[in-house]
Amino acid sequence: MPAMHRLRKIRAVVSPRILKRALILPILLLTAFVFIGFFHSHPQYWHQLQHVPLSTLVLVFGLNVILLSILAGIYRTCIHLCAKQIGGQENFLLTAYSSIINFFGPLQSGPGVRAAYLKTKLHIRLRDYTFVTLLYYALFAIMNILFLCIGSRPWWQTLLAILLTSGACLWVLRRFTGGNTQALQALNLKPRLLIVLATLTFLQIAVQCLSFYVELHTINAGISLRQAITYTGAADLALFVSLTPGAIGFRESFLVFSHSLHHISTANILSANLIDRAVYVVFLVAVFVVAASTHASTLLRLKKLRQQAE
């Protein structure tokens, strides 16, 4: 019995969640070391970054605004698929706060925050929302495989990759439900909503691709849109295995390892990612200010209405 008790303690200490948390800081430090070391050894790229046009930064910031709007639409559609409704302002605040937490919080925790909020506020079952989220992730994975392959591989390899990814996604969804279709009866899986979710997911990846293209083209005017499409697929797929805020380190690694597909140099990858992350952090700060002021004004209005009612 004491041996079993010690074994449970060891398992608790080395649980996957604790191991993931323990890996975050070393990965962030290693990534920072790689960035600093690279730009120290290649100062010409740092000087190039210092002359990035303001118009590029403004354009990337604007594309992030569009991306947040699309993301809000995706989350609202996911709620509709759970047969519930949410107000526009409430959905914006939930999207804003979960995006901030997803970047700065541990282990990409944004989806968990949304699920907990929706369970408390709209009484959406965690199982239902998790299934719908997995459905969105499946569409996200399939479309990014399309982006990864369409610009670099023959059509038959692209089709095969999409079919294999689709099969894997269907297997995951089936495993989640246990093959029991009755578990989905509470959901509102209308074809119209599924088409809306698929369309918004494609728009999300397309706008992200445009943002990457602007950053890459600023660094190296010789980089084509075709290369940026493949680059986007690799960058987005890194999100599925990332532990760090904004997939820092993981995205760069995926992009470097997929060089044979997009043929973009490590120097251009690191420079473009520096622009992307710097603008995104500023964007999230701006989102937090707007969300906080909106939330504060909402609370003030509610307080006044309550006082009037009394």
Side-chain angles (χ1 to χ4, degrees), residues 183-206:
L184 307 178
Q185 286 183 346
L187 298 176
N188 182 26
L189 300 176
K190 291 182 179 178
R192 180 183 64 83
L193 288 176
L194 295 174
I195 291 171
V196 169
L197 181 61
T199 303
L200 288 172
T201 304
F202 181 81
L203 286 175
Q204 177 192 7
I205 299 169

Side-chain angles (χ1 to χ4, degrees), residues 143-152 202 205-206 208-210 212-213 216 223-237 255 261-262 264:
M143 291 180 188
N144 273 298
I145 287 292
L146 172 64
F147 272 59
L148 178 68
C149 297
I150 197 170
S152 60
F202 181 81
I205 299 169
Q208 183 69 76
C209 178
L210 182 57
F212 285 149
Y213 177 66
L216 290 166
I223 293 175
S224 67
L225 180 59
R226 191 185 187 100
Q227 287 176 284
I229 290 172
T230 303
Y231 178 99
T232 300
D236 284 350
L237 289 172
L255 290 168
L261 296 176
H262 52 65
I264 297 172

Side-chain angles (χ1 to χ4, degrees), residues 48 66 119 124-125 135 144 199 213 292 299:
Q48 184 182 11
I66 296 172
K119 182 179 186 297
I124 295 176
R125 294 191 309 172
L135 187 61
N144 273 298
T199 303
Y213 177 66
L299 291 175

Side-chain angles (χ1 to χ4, degrees), residues 89-210:
Q89 186 178 20
E90 185 178 9
N91 186 54
F92 163 73
L93 289 171
L94 182 58
T95 303
Y97 285 132
S98 63
S99 296
I100 293 166
I101 292 168
N102 206 44
F103 185 84
F104 292 108
L107 305 177
Q108 300 282 311
S109 48
V113 171
R114 287 195 302 275
Y117 177 87
L118 294 172
K119 182 179 186 297
T120 304
K121 190 70 185 291
L122 300 182
H123 308 293
I124 295 176
R125 294 191 309 172
L126 289 176
R127 184 179 182 81
D128 291 344
Y129 191 73
T130 301
F131 176 82
V132 171
T133 301
L134 287 174
L135 187 61
Y136 160 59
Y137 286 161
L139 292 169
F140 188 78
I142 293 167
M143 291 180 188
N144 273 298
I145 287 292
L146 172 64
F147 272 59
L148 178 68
C149 297
I150 197 170
S152 60
R153 310 309 303 164
W155 69 268
W156 64 270
Q157 291 183 11
T158 301
L159 180 61
L160 180 62
I162 291 172
L163 290 175
L164 289 173
T165 306
S166 300
C169 291
L170 286 173
W171 180 82
V172 170
L173 290 170
R174 185 174 178 81
R175 286 279 296 178
F176 181 79
T177 60
N180 182 13
T181 55
Q182 291 184 346
L184 307 178
Q185 286 183 346
L187 298 176
N188 182 26
L189 300 176
K190 291 182 179 178
R192 180 183 64 83
L193 288 176
L194 295 174
I195 291 171
V196 169
L197 181 61
T199 303
L200 288 172
T201 304
F202 181 81
L203 286 175
Q204 177 192 7
I205 299 169
V207 173
Q208 183 69 76
C209 178
L210 182 57

Side-chain angles (χ1 to χ4, degrees), residues 20 27 108 236-244 247 250-251 254:
K20 287 178 181 179
I27 292 171
Q108 300 282 311
D236 284 350
L237 289 172
L239 294 172
F240 286 103
V241 296
S242 65
L243 306 175
T244 56
F250 288 89
R251 188 168 80 183
F254 264 58

Side-chain angles (χ1 to χ4, degrees), residues 7-8 11 20 131 173 178 211 286 304:
L7 183 59
R8 289 195 192 98
R11 283 179 178 173
K20 287 178 181 179
F131 176 82
L173 290 170
S211 181
K304 287 180 180 178

Side-chain angles (χ1 to χ4, degrees), residues 27-28 31-32 35 39 49 57 60-61 64 102-104 108 208 211-212 215 231 234-236 238-239 242-255 269-285:
I27 292 171
L28 289 175
T31 305
F35 269 88
F39 286 111
L49 281 173
L57 303 179
V60 173
F61 188 95
N64 276 313
N102 206 44
F103 185 84
F104 292 108
Q108 300 282 311
Q208 183 69 76
S211 181
F212 285 149
E215 295 160 3
Y231 178 99
D236 284 350
L239 294 172
S242 65
L243 306 175
T244 56
I248 293 174
F250 288 89
R251 188 168 80 183
E252 288 78 8
S253 299
F254 264 58
L255 290 168
I269 289 170
L270 294 180
S271 298
N273 272 270
L274 199 59
I275 295 173
D276 185 79
R277 297 197 185 283
V279 174
Y280 192 61
V281 168
V282 173
F283 170 73
L284 286 180
V285 171

